[in-house]
Amino acid sequence: MTTLIPVLGDQLSLGLSSLRGANPGDAVVLMMEVADETTYVRHHKTKLAYILSAMRHHAQALEEAGWRVDYLRLNDPENSGSFTGEVARAIQRHDTERILVTEAGEWRVTAMLDSWETLFGVPVEIRKDTRFVCSHGEFDTWASDRRELTMEFFYREMRRKTGLLMDDGKPAGGRWNFDKDNRKPAQADLLMPRPLGFTPDAITRDVIAMVEDRFSDHPGDLDSFNYAVTAADAERQAASFFANALPQFGDYEDAMLTGERFLWHSILSPYINSGLLDPLDLCRRAEAEYRKGRAPLNSVEGYIRQIIGWREYMRGIYWREGPGYVDRNFLEHDRALPDWYWTGDTQMHCLSETIGQTLATAHAHHIQRLMVTGNFALLIGADPKQVHLWYLEIYLDAYEWVELPNTLGMSQFGDGGLLGSKPYVSSGAYINRMSDYCGTCRYNVKERIGEDACPFNALYWNFLARHRDKLGANYRLAMPYRTWDRQSKADQQATLEQAAAFLRQLDGDCGAPYAKRE
Ligand SMILES: Cc1cc2nc3c(=O)[nH]c(=O)nc-3n(C[C@H](O)[C@H](O)[C@H](O)COP(=O)(O)OP(=O)(O)OC[C@H]3O[C@@H](n4cnc5c(N)ncnc54)[C@H](O)[C@@H]3O)c2cc1C
Ligand code: SF4
């Protein structure tokens, strides 16, 4: 009799909870490439190639570690196309006594796992995912007696729990948060570190050919695919980040530069989220860099906060808010994203740059996602669910538990402020301060009215005016509303007309990708 251990595509860790204590002698690890998972959104080709190749390499690593692996390929003619269908077939093949599985990362797959015991009549043990610092129960306990779920306070709990950057119960350096030091614009720098590139091996080349063939209508291209697909190579990228980029990570965390896709960021989120790297281990190593005097505190604290703070907090919100979170639309936005979110073909340089690099690499950094593509989508009143689907399909690190709260909550204010105390909107001035994009843009960032005016400017005021009933009492927006009120009626009218004309023009551009996908 066999214990069947299904390992999903984002569970590529040898230390996975479902493997612990199981006996390789009477267990079979089941890994499944299934059509449902590759097409529930039109994933970027790079994302598909990455996950499928990483899965195939992980199957080898499991075998080397002594596990018997039953691996089902996408092109197998018998492939039923779903996890449930493949587990059903595997139960027959392996005389299955019980199923042991680590909890899934999203509601959709959780529902499948929950149905298996009744469906198959074998015991199913669903184990906690121990790759996270905070369990669902702990997050609920933290959240349950609070009126506001402020990330900063959650983060401090995680610092206390892990002991990271703590000195005798107090935060290292006397402060919990050094974010104020982390908002410097960057200059072009020939010595800027670059993430390592990994030449595709035979397995990856095979997968790339299959993806090109089978998913030719998905966005993105694979010409320069060079991501790591094994734990060993992901580890090489981590070591390179700590040695070369971590010291400046904090200073330039929010900066954007034309032609510079990665700056001092770690480019590790795809590997962490799929299981090749352990987030807590990375945080401990970052702390060691600080303790040894090799990286400053503002960088190390900033890095650790993103992982044990924001990342864990997003997961907590996703599970706490339930499957209905995806339908929240506090601002009642309903515009479709313009077609050029899938081509980058716009004269707004900040957007063409961010979307262009996203199509090429399936990556953009946090501020590009939040203050360029996200900001623009929010200002034009795009449907938050559609915006969520765009992020889910286009980024290499996008899994619903982390992408949805970041997009629908933080970026689109769809939850009405559960996750952020005010909407992340700005005029062109913020983008100009944090990047060099405006210098070579067809639009003038200093202008609000006229053909050459930066569209973000009128759209920003239009957004505030349009949502005064819902946002007017927000104390964090008191200053911009006062500035708006000080403008003459004629100026206000001209701004609203400028925004309306831009939106009319934009609407001529909208629709096709959604029409195709729905
Ligand atoms: C609209 C929007 C959508 C996003 N979607 C995703 C997503 O699908 N998957 C994802 O992993 N991140 C997402 N993020 C967060 C962030 O943009 C990425 O984690 C980051 O850009 C990954 O690149 P990096 O590894 O170089 O990160 P770095 O800048 O080097 O940061 C270090 C690490 O911190 C973690 N991190 C940083 N910010 C966040 C955050 N807000 N939430 C969760 N983890 C964070 C990541 O694990 C990251 O590797 C999103 C942000 C926004 C604004
Ligand atoms: S001028 Fe406006 S549209 Fe152009 S890059 Fe700057 S912010 Fe973007």
Side-chain angles (χ1 to χ4, degrees):
M1 295 294 268
T2 304
T3 299
L4 190 66
I5 309 180
V7 168
L8 310 179
D10 59 353
Q11 299 184 339
L12 309 182
S13 316
L14 291 176
L16 196 69
S17 60
S18 56
L19 300 173
R20 284 198 198 146
N23 176 6
D26 59 21
V28 168
V29 174
L30 175 66
M31 294 187 70
M32 305 159 276
E33 299 176 0
V34 291
D36 281 3
E37 299 306 310
T38 53
T39 53
Y40 68 90
V41 291
R42 279 192 326 151
H43 299 287
H44 193 298
K45 289 177 193 155
T46 300
K47 187 177 174 191
L48 288 173
Y50 166 71
I51 294 176
L52 296 175
S53 178
M55 282 174 67
R56 292 183 185 189
H57 284 92
H58 186 65
Q60 286 186 342
L62 282 164
E63 279 170 352
E64 278 157 27
W67 294 96
R68 197 149 52 104
V69 181
D70 184 353
Y71 193 97
L72 186 93
R73 291 189 177 212
L74 201 55
N75 284 345
D76 184 327
E78 309 283 299
N79 192 325
S80 66
S82 74
F83 286 148
T84 299
E86 284 318 301
V87 171
R89 292 200 315 129
I91 287 174
Q92 301 306 323
R93 277 198 301 278
H94 299 294
D95 188 19
T96 302
E97 180 183 37
R98 62 170 185 149
I99 295 174
L100 200 53
V101 65
T102 293
E103 64 187 330
E106 60 195 272
W107 287 107
R108 193 178 53 83
V109 183
T110 297
M112 293 181 211
L113 268 50
D114 287 345
S115 73
W116 288 350
E117 189 156 306
T118 314
L119 208 57
F120 303 134
V122 291
V124 178
E125 185 187 340
I126 302 176
R127 292 190 176 165
K128 282 188 181 147
D129 193 337
T130 50
R131 296 173 297 169
F132 292 91
V133 176
C134 185
S135 69
H136 303 321
E138 279 173 306
F139 190 85
D140 282 345
T141 307
W142 173 80
S144 57
D145 57 349
R146 268 157 225 272
R147 261 184 339 121
E148 287 181 354
L149 304 183
T150 310
M151 196 293 290
E152 180 64 24
F153 297 120
F154 169 78
Y155 164 57
R156 291 178 191 178
E157 287 296 311
M158 294 301 102
R159 287 271 294 277
R160 289 191 191 96
K161 177 173 180 186
T162 57
L164 282 160
L165 290 179
M166 297 299 289
D167 291 333
D168 297 328
K170 301 232 163 50
R175 268 159 51 198
W176 291 101
N177 184 317
F178 289 79
D179 206 25
K180 274 215 288 292
D181 304 343
N182 290 1
R183 293 173 192 157
K184 299 189 178 76
Q187 303 295 322
D189 178 353
L190 288 176
L191 301 176
M192 194 179 294
R194 301 278 185 279
L196 301 179
F198 301 91
T199 308
D201 65 4
I203 294 178
T204 304
R205 288 198 301 274
D206 243 25
V207 169
I208 287 176
M210 181 187 63
V211 170
E212 292 283 21
D213 179 47
R214 202 171 158 142
F215 304 100
S216 56
D217 63 332
H218 284 222
D221 68 62
L222 284 163
D223 294 348
S224 51
F225 184 97
N226 67 355
Y227 285 104
V229 289
T230 62
D233 281 348
E235 168 50 37
R236 285 185 188 99
Q237 170 56 21
S240 167
F241 166 68
F242 288 128
N244 305 313
L246 179 65
Q248 267 82 37
F249 169 84
D251 282 359
Y252 303 120
E253 204 179 335
D254 290 359
M256 299 174 278
L257 275 181
T258 302
E260 290 298 344
R261 295 166 169 179
F262 306 110
L263 291 109
W264 286 267
H265 291 274
S266 62
I267 324 300
L268 296 176
S269 54
Y271 312 136
I272 302 174
N273 293 351
S274 60
L276 296 185
L277 293 178
D278 176 45
L280 196 52
D281 170 61
L282 293 172
C283 290
R284 298 218 185 282
R285 289 162 64 188
E287 175 173 14
E289 293 299 303
Y290 162 67
R291 300 284 182 202
K292 287 177 188 157
R294 294 198 292 241
L297 188 52
N298 69 308
S299 281
V300 172
E301 186 282 314
Y303 181 74
I304 288 174
R305 173 159 32 85
Q306 304 311 315
I307 294 187
I308 64 166
W310 281 111
R311 185 171 184 272
E312 294 281 336
Y313 174 79
M314 291 297 180
R315 178 175 185 256
I317 295 283
Y318 175 79
W319 289 106
R320 186 175 160 78
E321 292 306 307
Y325 188 71
V326 69
D327 293 315
R328 300 231 192 135
N329 189 353
F330 176 72
L331 296 171
E332 297 172 75
H333 283 173
D334 59 4
R335 177 168 274 106
L337 285 173
D339 289 359
W340 46 259
Y341 262 62
W342 284 264
T343 63
D345 188 12
T346 167
Q347 295 192 73
M348 287 175 275
H349 186 220
C350 51
L351 282 153
S352 67
E353 189 73 12
T354 300
I355 295 171
Q357 79 162 65
T358 297
L359 292 168
T361 64
H363 176 83
H365 74 68
H366 187 71
I367 292 300
Q368 292 174 304
R369 295 186 210 194
L370 187 65
M371 298 312 293
V372 180
T373 41
N375 185 14
F376 185 79
L378 183 55
L379 291 179
I380 64 167
D383 176 347
K385 191 168 180 178
Q386 294 191 322
V387 180
H388 143 63
L389 291 173
W390 183 80
Y391 279 90
L392 186 61
E393 77 177 33
I394 214 90
Y395 286 110
L396 189 60
D397 57 15
Y399 299 85
E400 194 178 81
W401 66 266
V402 57
E403 176 280 325
L404 179 67
N406 265 299
T407 304
L408 187 129
M410 179 191 268
S411 160
Q412 299 301 300
F413 211 67
D415 60 18
L418 173 77
L419 206 147
S421 53
K422 73 174 179 65
Y424 281 94
V425 280
S426 79
S427 66
Y430 174 85
I431 294 173
N432 193 31
R433 190 161 66 248
M434 294 313 300
S435 78
D436 64 356
Y437 293 155
C438 303
T440 46
C441 183
R442 169 246 182 276
Y443 294 103
N444 184 341
V445 71
K446 303 263 189 280
E447 301 287 339
R448 190 195 299 184
I449 308 292
E451 254 186 41
D452 293 337
C454 165
F456 281 82
N457 294 341
L459 287 172
Y460 172 72
W461 294 111
N462 180 66
F463 173 88
L464 290 179
R466 177 182 172 198
H467 291 302
R468 190 153 201 161
D469 57 334
K470 288 183 168 155
L471 302 175
N474 184 316
Y475 76 101
R476 294 199 62 200
L477 293 172
M479 174 98 96
Y481 275 116
R482 269 202 301 277
T483 308
W484 173 247
D485 289 341
R486 276 201 297 270
Q487 294 167 31
S488 71
K489 287 281 169 258
D491 281 353
Q492 289 181 347
Q493 193 53 34
T495 301
L496 297 180
E497 276 167 19
Q498 171 88 14
F502 179 81
L503 291 171
R504 275 197 303 278
Q505 193 191 25
L506 195 71
D507 287 342
D509 255 351
C510 289
Y514 284 116
K516 225 191 265 171
R517 289 175 328 131
E518 275 176 4

